[in-house]
Amino acid sequence: MSSGEKMEAKSKKAGASRLCFLCNLRRPVLKRPKTLQQICRECFYEVFEEEIHQVIVQNRLFKSGERVAIGASGGKDSTVLAYVLSELNRRHNYGLDLFLLSIDEGITGYRDDSLETVKRNEVQYGLPLQIVSYKDLYGWTMDDIVKMIGLKNNCTFCGVFRRQALDRGATLLKVDKLVTGHNADDIAETVLLNILRGDIARLSRCTSITTGEDGPIPRCKPFKYTYEKEIVMYAYFKKLDYFSTECIYSPNAYRGFAREFIKDLERIRPRAILDIIKSGEDFRIATTTKMPEQGTCERCGYISSQKWCKACVLLEGLNRGLPKMGIGRPRGVNGDHKMEIKKPGSVAKSIESKQCGSLDF
């Protein structure tokens, strides 16, 4: 082969290598973080949506006729989830009634703006929207709480209150399941956090794709194996309308340290995220380990492994002017020193009929 022929063959090979790895027809626009394949935009849409569809089908997340609430914050994860789930529901005839469920924590300059995005999504996707606020449920906004406690433990209050608020909102909508936009990065972070905290109970369930099956409303995570970077790229290429500002009260959140560690690992070995999730799935707890027993909060009727749920403990501390009362171990409720409690005259009712803080102490 002459030198000219060699150069021509080399040029053709180089040109071929710049085509999409999957279709070999179009130029690639991205390298998938999960597989490192260089693919075109059209193929990216197809594999992204198909992978989520397979997760839904293989894990039997839904049944035809179910009412499903999508936890919608206006951020990239929940916006992409709402869009993709709506598309898959139509394309594959899941037969689901979908709703958007948003929580207004009362964070001025953050949540009020993101809720405007969710309201636009309601119109764009044709999905009914339900908004539940901390102020209505608990009598406090996160702005009020931060003024009292500062920025050190505020994420503890918000996380506990938000989880219960989602369940209460889902109950108002009378849905069968609640889906959230937790992605692979989030779950890997949670595995690490639970190991660092020594939280055996949460470690045993944090990688489950469906949780809360013994509670009022099961929660599903269709994005369990979906990388955050791919969600961002999908939202960008599809030009989806989402809110991208981080919470103004979370710069010092403990989870942030785990997030940075995960990002460092991903740069070295992209599959590290899936490997951590797999490790979490493979953890086995000794049968001799005593696990918390699921019960019902005597105060509000919400699920709890203690006499009072964490939300009620935190709320009582706020109302008494002792915001740190509920931080750490639940002392003062089931701990070393006792508090006088006027017990309700009847067995705790359903979470629809009671609100946190509705009983006298």
Side-chain angles (χ1 to χ4, degrees):
M1 182 182 290
S2 68
S3 59
E5 291 173 331
K6 287 181 180 179
M7 288 180 66
E8 185 179 352
K10 188 176 181 180
S11 177
K12 288 181 179 178
K13 186 176 180 181
S17 68
R18 287 195 294 268
L19 293 177
C20 171
F21 178 85
L22 297 177
C23 69
N24 204 35
L25 295 173
R26 295 174 288 266
R27 283 185 172 275
V29 295
L30 63 97
K31 179 188 286 188
R32 293 195 72 191
K34 187 187 296 186
T35 63
L36 301 183
Q37 296 171 346
Q38 295 187 11
I39 60 177
C40 66
R41 185 178 305 189
E42 290 76 8
C43 286
F44 173 60
Y45 293 157
E46 184 177 340
V47 296
F48 183 88
E49 293 168 3
E50 181 61 21
E51 285 179 3
I52 294 167
H53 170 61
Q54 290 303 320
V55 167
I56 291 171
V57 171
Q58 291 170 11
N59 292 277
R60 299 178 181 177
L61 296 188
F62 310 119
K63 295 177 182 176
S64 181
E66 286 186 327
R67 294 166 61 89
V68 177
I70 301 169
S73 66
K76 64 185 184 313
D77 298 313
S78 61
T79 301
V80 172
L81 177 61
Y83 177 84
V84 171
L85 199 53
S86 297
E87 289 295 309
L88 295 179
N89 189 36
R90 285 191 288 268
R91 186 183 306 163
H92 298 287
N93 195 26
Y94 291 165
L96 305 177
D97 288 328
L98 299 176
F99 303 84
L100 297 177
L101 173 59
S102 292
I103 307 302
D104 182 4
E105 300 94 339
I107 303 176
T108 306
Y110 169 66
R111 183 55 72 208
D112 47 357
D113 291 338
S114 70
L115 284 176
E116 291 303 312
T117 303
V118 178
K119 290 173 184 176
R120 292 195 298 271
N121 293 158
E122 175 188 15
V123 177
Q124 291 160 354
Y125 307 149
L127 301 177
L129 170 63
Q130 173 79 47
I131 300 176
V132 179
S133 73
Y134 282 10
K135 187 68 175 178
D136 291 340
L137 285 178
Y138 311 115
W140 291 78
T141 66
M142 278 308 299
D143 287 342
D144 297 331
I145 293 171
V146 170
K147 284 178 185 175
M148 175 175 282
I149 197 170
L151 291 173
K152 187 174 182 181
N153 294 302
N154 59 294
C155 288
T156 298
F157 285 84
C158 195
V160 171
F161 287 168
R162 181 178 176 80
R163 179 173 183 81
Q164 188 170 129
L166 279 168
D167 279 338
R168 291 180 181 275
T171 301
L172 288 172
L173 286 170
K174 294 180 169 55
V175 297
D176 302 293
K177 288 193 176 79
L178 172 64
V179 295
T180 61
H182 291 97
N183 56 53
D185 301 54
D186 296 326
I187 296 170
E189 290 164 15
T190 304
V191 171
L192 288 181
L193 285 172
N194 288 330
I195 291 173
L196 293 172
R197 290 169 175 158
D199 195 332
I200 300 299
R202 286 190 174 90
L203 183 59
S204 66
R205 64 176 183 265
C206 70
T207 57
S208 299
I209 196 164
T210 301
T211 56
E213 292 170 295
D214 53 350
I217 297 169
R219 295 186 181 207
C220 305
K221 299 186 281 282
F223 284 173
K224 177 181 175 181
Y225 301 109
T226 307
Y227 277 35
E228 183 178 50
K229 284 182 179 177
E230 296 201 350
I231 292 172
V232 173
M233 288 189 286
Y234 187 89
Y236 173 75
F237 286 130
K238 284 283 187 179
K239 294 181 171 57
L240 300 184
D241 183 5
Y242 69 94
F243 185 76
S244 57
T245 303
E246 290 294 324
C247 176
I248 59 176
Y249 293 145
S250 67
N252 300 316
Y254 186 46
R255 177 175 285 271
F257 298 104
R259 181 175 296 119
E260 287 302 313
F261 181 65
I262 292 289
K263 295 302 180 190
D264 290 341
L265 286 178
E266 185 186 8
R267 278 190 285 271
I268 299 169
R269 187 170 185 272
R271 281 196 60 86
I273 290 174
L274 294 179
D275 290 340
I276 291 172
I277 294 174
K278 183 65 168 63
S279 297
E281 292 172 338
D282 290 342
F283 272 116
R284 295 293 179 267
I285 298 173
T287 54
T288 55
T289 303
K290 187 176 180 180
M291 300 293 285
E293 294 183 7
Q294 193 85 291
T296 304
C297 175
E298 292 183 355
R299 187 178 182 191
C300 71
Y302 190 68
I303 54 173
S304 176
S305 59
Q306 307 290 334
K307 288 184 179 179
W308 297 352
C309 69
K310 188 69 171 176
C312 282
V313 176
L314 292 172
L315 188 59
E316 178 62 12
L318 289 172
N319 291 335
R320 285 174 175 255
L322 302 169
K324 294 185 179 180
M325 188 177 81
I327 304 296
R329 289 184 177 277
R331 296 183 63 187
V333 178
N334 302 313
D336 299 333
H337 55 279
K338 298 179 180 178
M339 300 166 64
E340 279 193 33
I341 308 170
K342 294 180 183 178
K343 295 185 178 180
S346 59
V347 179
K349 298 178 183 177
S350 70
I351 64 174
E352 289 179 288
S353 60
K354 292 185 181 179
Q355 292 185 347
C356 281
S358 61
L359 299 181
D360 296 326
F361 283 77

